[in-house]
Amino acid sequence: MAKILWSVDEKIYNDQTAHTLILKGWAAQTEGAECEFSLKGDGEEITISAPERFDRADVSHSLDELREASNIGFAVKIPEIRELTGRYKRLELTVTAEQESAVLWETNTEELEKFCTDSLLEYHIDREEILGKTTLLIEGWVLDQLGSDEIIVEDKSHTVINCKIRRMRRPDVLEERKIKREENNEIGFSLSIDLSDERRNEFFVYFKGAETEKCHVVDIKKLKAEKSVFHQRMKLLSWENREKNFAYIREKGLGDFVRYVGTYQQDNSSQDYEAWLRNHVAGRKELKRQRAAVFSTTPLISIVIPLYNTPLEYLKEMVDSVIAQTYGNWQLCLADGSEGDEVSEFLRKKYKQEIRISYKKLKENKGISENTNAAVKLAMGEYIMLCDHDDVLAPDALFHIVKAITEKKADAIYTDEDKISMDGKHYFEPNFKPDFNLFRLRENNYICHIFVVKRTILDQVGTFRREYDGAQDFDLIFRCCEKAERIVHIPRVLYHWRSHMNSTAANPESKRYAFEAGKRAIEAHYERAGIRADVELTERPGWYRSHVEIEGKPLISIIIPNKDHIEDLELCISSVEEKSTWKNYEILIVENNSEDKKTFAYYEQLKQRYENVRILVWKKEFNYSSINNFAVREARGEYLLFLNNDVEIITPSWMEEMLQICQQDGVGITGAKLYYPDDTIQHAGVVLGLGGIAGHIMCKAGREDIGYMGRMVCVQEISAVTAACMLVKTSVFKAAGGFDEELRVAFNDIDLCMQVRHMGQKIVFTPYAELYHYESKSRGLEDTPEKQLRFSKEMKCFRRKWERELLKGDPYYSPNLSLKEGNCSLRKEERNGESHA
C-alpha cells in the first residue's frame, strides 16, 4: 500500500527577509504520486507559495522505497511568521498525496515565538582545542540577525578574561542562511586564551546580540583528557595490557569494550601507516645526496601562500619546512591579510636573514582567491607552487618536483599527500593518487596538494577567481590541466596537510558553499571542453556526478556468446529487454557448440518474442576471441556491447550510463560495476600487475564499500575492464584488430584494453551501470592439465606483448599500494636503492 514518508530536518528563521520561517526536509509518496503542501492556522487555510523541490540523494540512497524517486527534498517558506503568531494559536504544515496525508510540522504560537527570538542569535563551535600546554584555541562563527554582536570570555568568578579575539568572514554561513550583509560581515571568530593560570578550569564564552544572549561553557579538564585519550586507548589495545582488557570486559561487558575502542580502529591503520612512512621517507644520507645533486636546469620555484590570522607555531613549521628543502632555488611568496601586525613582526624577527622570502602586508582581507593572487604577483619563478599557510612540506618535495621538470619536461606536477595532526606528532590518511585521471578529477578534486604549474600556463589561463572561493584551487587545476601537455604525478608523500585526527567536519553543510563552487568549476570545465553536461552534488560532500548529454540515438550491438545454460541466458535476455531504458539496440547471441536440444528450441522462442534478437552460429572449437570477432563482423551497431550470458541487469539506464562516457572523444571502452549474487564486488576495474599479471581490484568487498579514495564509487580512467560487460566503439575495436585470437580464454579482454590504450584511447569505469554476474555458474575451472597448459601459454603470450607496461606498473594504481592484495593495502617492501638511514 502506498504511503507518505517524510522528515523535517531543519527550521530556519530569517528576520531580515520578510520575517520568514523556512522548513527544510523531504517528503514523498512511495508510488511516486505528486505531493501538495498546505499550511493551516487554527484549521484555517493560509496561502503560501509552492515549496522549492530538489533531489535528496542521501535519502533515496538509504530507503529502498524511494530509490527511484527524484525531487523529494523541500524548502517551505512561511513569510511574516511573527504576524501569524499574533493571529493564530496553532499552526500546522500538511503534505497530501492522492488520498494520503501527513502532518509534517505543528506548533503553538508561544513555542514558535520563542524559537524565532532564540534564532536571532546563532553560534557554532568548529574547533576547540588545547595547543601545546598553555593556549586554548576556539574557532567558529556567531551571527546576530539584528546587527553586530559581541564576544566576552569570563571565568567562574565572572572576571572578564583578556584574550585575543580575531574576526573573519564566513560567506558559507551567510549563504546558507540566505543573509546578505555588506557591513559587519566578519561573523567568524578565533579566540586564543592563555591557560598559564592552572586554577582556571572552566571558561564561559558569552555571545551577546541586540536581543539575545547565549553562553558556551568550556571545560578545560575535559579537553585535556580528550587530548590524551588517543594514547590511552592505543595503550588499552596493546598486547601488554591484555589482562587489563579482560578485566575491562568482565566489568563493563564486551559490547562496551568494542564501543570504547571501535571508534579508534582507524588509529591502528594510522600506526601502520606511520611505520610505513618511516621506512619510505628520505633518510639523512639520501637528503645529503640530494643537496649535492646537480640538475641540467635549476628553475626557480615560487611557493605562493595566502596568510590570514595564521597561528604562529603553524606558520613557523610551514616556513621551516620550506627552508629545509634539499633544492635551494625557491622563493616563498607570502601575502598577509591578517588583522594587526603580529604575523609581520614574527616573520621580520625570525626570518629577517632569509632573502628568499617575499612578504606583503595587504591593506584588507579580500578572501582566499584575491589574497593568493596577491602572493602570485610577488612570484618571479618559472613555476608556481600552491601551498596552505599551516601545512608542512617533506624536505625533498622540491627536489622531486624539479627532477620531474628536468627529466619529464613537466608543465604541471602533483604529488601524494597525507594528513598531520594538529600537534604535528602523527601522520595519517595517506592519499596515494593515480597518474593524471581527468574523469576521476571530474568526480572529486583528488589532486589537491602539492600542485605546481608552469608560469606560462598560469599567465595563459589566469589566476584564482573569487566567484569560486571555497573551490578556487579546483577551478584553477581544471584550467591549468586543460592547457598542460605534460602532467606528471609524483607518487611520493611530499605534503602533510594539517587536520584533526579521527574526525571529519562537524557540519558538512557549513561547507556547502564550497561544494556548490566545486560544482560550478566542473560545469565551467565542461563548457570549455564543448561537452553538454549536468553536474550534481552527491551524498558524499565534495563529490560530484556528471550526466553528459548523449548525442543522437546510436545503435548498440549486444554480443552474447552462449553454450547451453538456458536459464542463465533467459535471465540475462529478459533483464535486458524488460529493464533497459535505452531502446536502440540489437542482441546477437553467438551459439557455440551447445549439446542440449532444448537450447535450440529456446533460440526459436527468443526470435519470436523479440524482433531485435539474432542467433549466429559458430561451428569451430571454443575460442572466446574468435567467437566475438566473428559476431562483430555481423554487427550493425555504432557501438559493441560485449556481455556474458550469466549477467542480470540492475540499473535500468545501464546502457545510457556507459554510452554517455564512451561517446566522448578519446574514450574507446567503458566498463561496468558487477556484483556476485551475495552483493559483493566481482568487478570494479582491473589493475595491471595485481596478482602477477592483472586482477580485479577490491574483489569480494561489500556492495556499499566506497573503496580506497572512493575508487569504487566514481567514474575514472583505468587500465582495463572485463568483457563480461564492456562497451566499445566499433571503429576503435576494428582499429585495434579486435580480440587477439591467440588468447583463446584468458586475458583477451585485458589485452584489448591494453591495445586500445596503446592507440591513445582511454578505458573508463563507471559505477553507475550495475549488473549481477553469476560467474561461478558458467565459468569452468582450470582443473585439467590441458586447461592449465593453455592458461600458462596465454599468460606467457600476454606477458610477452606487454612486458614493458607490466614493468612500468599500472598508471592508475599507486606503486605504494600492494599488488599482492586486491584491497589497496600498503605495499610493505621498501623501494630499491633508497637509503633510510
Side-chain angles (χ1 to χ4, degrees):
M1 179 180 174
K3 60 181 179 179
I4 296 175
L5 303 178
W6 59 273
S7 173
V8 176
D9 302 331
E10 189 176 14
K11 293 183 295 183
I12 301 171
Y13 173 63
N14 190 325
D15 194 78
Q16 292 186 331
T17 308
H19 310 292
T20 300
L21 177 69
I22 304 171
L23 302 175
K24 289 186 174 182
W26 57 269
Q29 196 226 36
T30 52
E31 291 187 356
E34 188 173 342
C35 291
E36 296 182 358
F37 293 77
S38 62
L39 178 68
K40 292 182 180 180
D42 297 338
E44 177 184 325
E45 193 80 24
I46 301 173
T47 302
I48 56 172
S49 58
E52 177 188 350
R53 302 305 303 270
F54 45 86
D55 281 339
R56 282 289 300 267
D58 56 330
V59 177
S60 55
H61 183 76
S62 302
L63 297 177
D64 290 338
E65 302 100 314
L66 303 179
R67 191 165 290 274
E68 302 300 324
S70 61
N71 289 332
I72 64 174
F74 67 77
V76 176
K77 296 182 179 179
I78 309 173
E80 302 301 342
I81 191 67
R82 287 191 151 178
E83 182 184 327
L84 295 179
T85 60
R87 193 187 311 170
Y88 303 104
K89 292 183 178 180
R90 191 160 198 83
L91 297 171
E92 68 175 28
L93 179 70
T94 305
V95 62
T96 305
E98 293 182 338
Q99 304 301 315
E100 297 288 326
S101 65
V103 177
L104 300 182
W105 168 79
E106 58 181 335
T107 185
N108 62 55
T109 52
E110 183 180 339
E111 291 175 349
L112 184 56
E113 181 64 32
K114 183 180 178 183
F115 170 79
C116 293
T117 301
D118 191 61
S119 297
L120 290 174
L121 180 73
E122 292 181 85
Y123 78 89
H124 187 271
I125 305 298
D126 296 328
R127 178 182 172 197
E128 191 174 76
E129 185 174 358
I130 296 175
L131 302 180
K133 294 182 179 180
T134 60
T135 301
L136 170 65
L137 180 67
I138 305 174
E139 294 178 341
W141 56 265
V142 57
L143 173 62
D144 178 52
Q145 296 192 40
L146 299 182
S148 59
D149 52 73
E150 185 181 9
I151 304 176
I152 298 172
V153 181
E154 297 181 357
D155 63 11
K156 258 185 182 180
S157 63
H158 301 293
T159 302
V160 175
I161 304 297
N162 185 23
C163 60
K164 292 181 182 178
I165 303 178
R166 299 189 182 105
R167 301 305 296 262
M168 61 206 75
R169 296 189 310 113
R170 283 297 297 268
D172 55 323
V173 180
L174 294 177
E175 181 178 329
E176 178 67 21
R177 296 297 185 266
K178 303 293 189 244
I179 292 174
K180 293 183 179 180
R181 180 176 286 184
E182 298 299 329
E183 297 180 359
N184 301 320
N185 64 351
E186 292 190 331
I187 64 172
F189 65 81
S190 176
L191 307 179
S192 296
I193 302 173
D194 185 10
L195 298 180
S196 54
D197 187 345
E198 295 183 357
R199 293 172 298 176
R200 289 173 167 166
N201 289 319
E202 201 169 44
F203 292 94
F204 300 86
V205 182
Y206 291 97
F207 302 101
K208 297 187 177 183
E211 290 187 7
T212 310
E213 177 181 306
K214 293 185 179 179
C215 178
H216 174 73
V217 181
V218 183
D219 187 334
I220 300 301
K221 285 185 177 179
K222 183 180 178 183
L223 284 177
K224 287 180 177 179
E226 287 176 350
K227 188 175 181 181
S228 63
V229 74
F230 167 73
H231 304 287
Q232 293 171 352
R233 293 190 180 183
M234 288 311 299
K235 268 187 166 182
L236 180 65
L237 287 170
S238 67
W239 175 253
E240 290 78 5
N241 284 309
R242 59 193 182 279
E243 292 301 329
K244 251 185 215 177
N245 293 348
F246 292 133
Y248 189 102
I249 292 169
R250 284 193 295 270
E251 180 184 352
K252 303 284 189 178
L254 180 60
D256 190 73
F257 178 77
V258 171
R259 282 190 294 275
Y260 181 60
V261 299
T263 310
Y264 289 81
Q265 285 180 351
Q266 188 174 345
D267 298 335
N268 285 322
S269 63
S270 176
Q271 283 197 329
D272 288 344
Y273 169 64
E274 288 185 317
W276 181 95
L277 186 62
R278 285 192 294 272
N279 288 327
H280 286 76
V281 296
R284 290 191 302 273
K285 291 181 181 178
E286 171 61 17
L287 294 176
K288 184 178 180 181
R289 183 192 70 78
Q290 290 178 11
R291 289 189 177 94
V294 178
F295 290 105
S296 59
T297 179
T298 54
L300 176 64
I301 309 295
S302 292
I303 306 167
V304 298
I305 302 178
L307 303 180
Y308 184 71
N309 294 338
T310 309
L312 297 184
E313 59 188 284
Y314 296 162
L315 179 60
K316 179 182 182 301
E317 284 187 51
M318 184 275 293
V319 176
D320 288 348
S321 76
V322 175
I323 292 174
Q325 292 298 302
T326 57
Y327 177 81
N329 194 21
W330 51 262
Q331 175 197 17
L332 181 58
C333 305
L334 305 174
D336 184 11
S338 305
E339 297 113 344
D341 297 318
E342 186 179 22
V343 171
S344 58
E345 285 296 311
F346 170 77
L347 290 169
R348 185 181 62 80
K349 290 179 181 178
K350 183 73 177 175
Y351 302 104
K352 61 183 177 182
Q353 302 298 326
E354 182 51 79
I355 62 172
R356 292 173 293 182
I357 297 179
S358 301
Y359 172 83
K360 181 177 182 179
K361 175 67 177 176
L362 303 178
K363 293 180 180 179
E364 60 178 321
N365 175 37
K366 292 187 176 181
I368 188 167
S369 291
E370 292 300 327
N371 290 0
T372 308
N373 289 342
V376 172
K377 288 179 181 177
L378 300 173
M380 297 179 289
E382 299 163 65
Y383 285 81
I384 305 298
M385 173 175 157
L386 309 181
C387 184
D388 288 345
H389 65 167
D390 55 356
D391 296 338
V392 178
L393 300 179
D396 53 341
L398 294 184
F399 174 86
H400 288 291
I401 287 166
V402 174
K403 192 168 184 280
I405 291 170
T406 55
E407 293 181 359
K408 299 183 179 180
K409 311 301 180 187
D411 297 319
I413 306 104
Y414 65 96
T415 76
D416 290 349
E417 64 189 294
D418 64 10
K419 292 184 174 66
I420 185 172
S421 60
M422 303 307 291
D423 60 8
K425 294 180 179 179
H426 298 284
Y427 299 88
F428 57 105
E429 290 185 21
N431 276 13
F432 295 127
K433 306 166 187 176
D435 286 355
F436 184 63
N437 194 321
L438 178 59
F439 281 84
R440 174 72 172 76
L441 187 61
R442 290 168 176 169
E443 301 273 302
N444 166 262
N445 182 9
Y446 80 91
I447 288 179
C448 211
H449 307 105
I450 298 172
F451 183 71
V452 181
V453 65
K454 203 170 187 178
R455 180 61 183 258
T456 54
I457 291 179
L458 196 63
D459 291 340
Q460 186 178 359
V461 305
T463 52
F464 290 96
R465 302 192 287 190
R466 188 171 187 173
E467 60 267 34
Y468 292 95
D469 269 1
Q472 70 287 335
D473 53 345
F474 199 15
D475 168 63
L476 185 71
I477 286 170
F478 267 121
R479 288 186 280 127
C480 291
C481 290
E482 289 163 13
K483 297 296 183 182
E485 294 181 9
R486 291 171 293 276
I487 303 170
V488 175
H489 163 230
I490 301 171
R492 292 174 178 268
V493 177
L494 301 177
Y495 191 93
H496 307 295
W497 187 356
R498 198 177 298 275
S499 180
H500 294 272
M501 292 189 73
N502 308 307
S503 68
T504 56
N507 179 15
E509 281 298 311
S510 70
K511 293 286 187 180
R512 189 170 182 86
Y513 82 104
F515 305 145
E516 291 286 355
K519 175 177 175 288
R520 295 197 306 273
I522 301 171
E523 290 170 339
H525 156 71
Y526 278 126
E527 187 174 348
R528 291 190 297 270
I531 297 173
R532 291 190 293 272
D534 292 324
V535 181
E536 68 177 39
L537 302 175
T538 69
E539 68 272 12
R540 296 179 301 280
W543 288 76
Y544 307 90
R545 180 176 178 181
S546 298
H547 299 275
V548 178
E549 183 178 319
I550 295 174
E551 299 176 0
K553 294 183 179 180
L555 177 67
I556 298 176
S557 296
I558 303 175
I559 297 173
I560 308 174
N562 185 69
K563 177 182 178 181
D564 295 319
H565 290 281
I566 295 175
E567 291 181 1
D568 289 344
L569 184 59
E570 169 60 21
L571 180 59
C572 174
I573 298 293
S574 61
S575 71
V576 171
E577 293 282 4
E578 294 168 13
K579 293 182 179 179
S580 301
T581 51
W582 184 262
K583 298 304 180 183
N584 194 24
Y585 64 88
E586 63 173 356
I587 297 178
L588 307 181
I589 298 172
V590 191
E591 154 57 31
N592 62 98
N593 304 303
S594 292
E595 299 172 358
D596 192 337
K597 291 182 180 180
K598 294 179 182 178
T599 301
F600 298 95
Y602 173 72
Y603 289 154
E604 292 303 317
Q605 294 175 14
L606 275 180
K607 288 191 290 184
Q608 292 175 13
R609 283 162 56 193
Y610 306 114
E611 293 181 356
N612 58 349
V613 173
R614 286 191 283 154
I615 309 297
L616 308 178
V617 180
W618 173 260
K619 296 182 179 179
K620 301 177 184 178
E621 65 178 356
F622 178 80
N623 181 318
Y624 179 87
S625 297
S626 300
I627 289 170
N628 281 285
N629 289 343
F630 161 70
V632 169
R633 292 192 287 271
E634 300 295 325
R636 302 165 183 158
E638 188 178 339
Y639 293 86
L640 306 169
L641 205 170
F642 298 99
L643 200 66
N644 274 23
N645 65 347
D646 56 353
V647 300
E648 178 185 3
I649 310 307
I650 298 173
T651 311
S653 60
W654 67 296
M655 280 191 270
E656 291 98 318
E657 295 290 351
M658 300 174 77
L659 183 57
Q660 66 173 281
I661 296 168
C662 202
Q663 71 172 1
Q664 295 180 44
D665 291 340
V667 178
I669 295 176
T670 305
K673 191 173 186 180
L674 309 179
Y675 305 106
Y676 288 113
D678 63 355
D679 280 328
T680 58
I681 293 173
Q682 191 270 336
H683 171 267
V686 172
V687 169
L688 194 65
L690 183 61
I693 297 292
H696 290 197
I697 192 67
M698 296 294 290
C699 190
K700 296 293 181 73
R703 182 171 177 171
E704 302 302 322
D705 196 328
I706 67 170
Y708 183 72
M709 286 183 65
R711 68 175 298 145
M712 297 295 99
V713 291
C714 72
V715 175
Q716 65 200 277
E717 295 158 44
I718 205 161
S719 284
V721 295
T722 178
C725 182
M726 172 194 283
L727 185 68
V728 191
K729 284 189 177 97
T730 303
S731 58
V732 169
F733 183 87
K734 291 180 177 179
F739 289 109
D740 186 340
E741 297 185 8
E742 187 178 350
L743 299 170
R744 295 172 54 207
V745 177
F747 306 115
N748 36 49
D749 47 2
I750 302 171
D751 172 78
L752 176 66
C753 291
M754 297 295 290
Q755 184 60 39
V756 168
R757 285 182 54 226
H758 185 67
M759 293 163 51
Q761 298 286 307
K762 296 175 179 178
I763 316 299
V764 181
F765 161 77
T766 175
Y768 299 117
E770 299 175 289
L771 301 86
Y772 282 117
H773 186 193
Y774 303 98
E775 184 181 40
S776 59
K777 289 184 179 180
S778 58
R779 182 177 178 180
L781 300 174
E782 314 295 351
D783 54 1
T784 67
E786 291 78 14
K787 288 182 179 180
Q788 291 167 358
L789 177 62
R790 186 264 309 151
F791 180 79
S792 176
K793 287 181 178 179
E794 291 173 355
M795 185 167 62
K796 289 177 181 177
C797 172
F798 184 89
R799 186 177 288 280
R800 182 185 71 246
K801 292 180 68 175
W802 305 109
E803 184 68 28
R804 181 179 298 179
E805 285 73 14
L806 285 166
L807 288 172
K808 286 171 63 177
D810 192 319
Y812 303 115
Y813 185 76
S814 173
N816 298 309
L817 300 177
S818 174
L819 287 172
K820 296 177 181 178
E821 307 292 335
N823 59 359
C824 298
S825 57
L826 287 169
R827 191 171 186 168
K828 300 297 184 183
E829 62 270 26
E830 296 181 359
R831 290 176 179 159
N832 294 330
E834 182 167 307
S835 170
H836 305 293

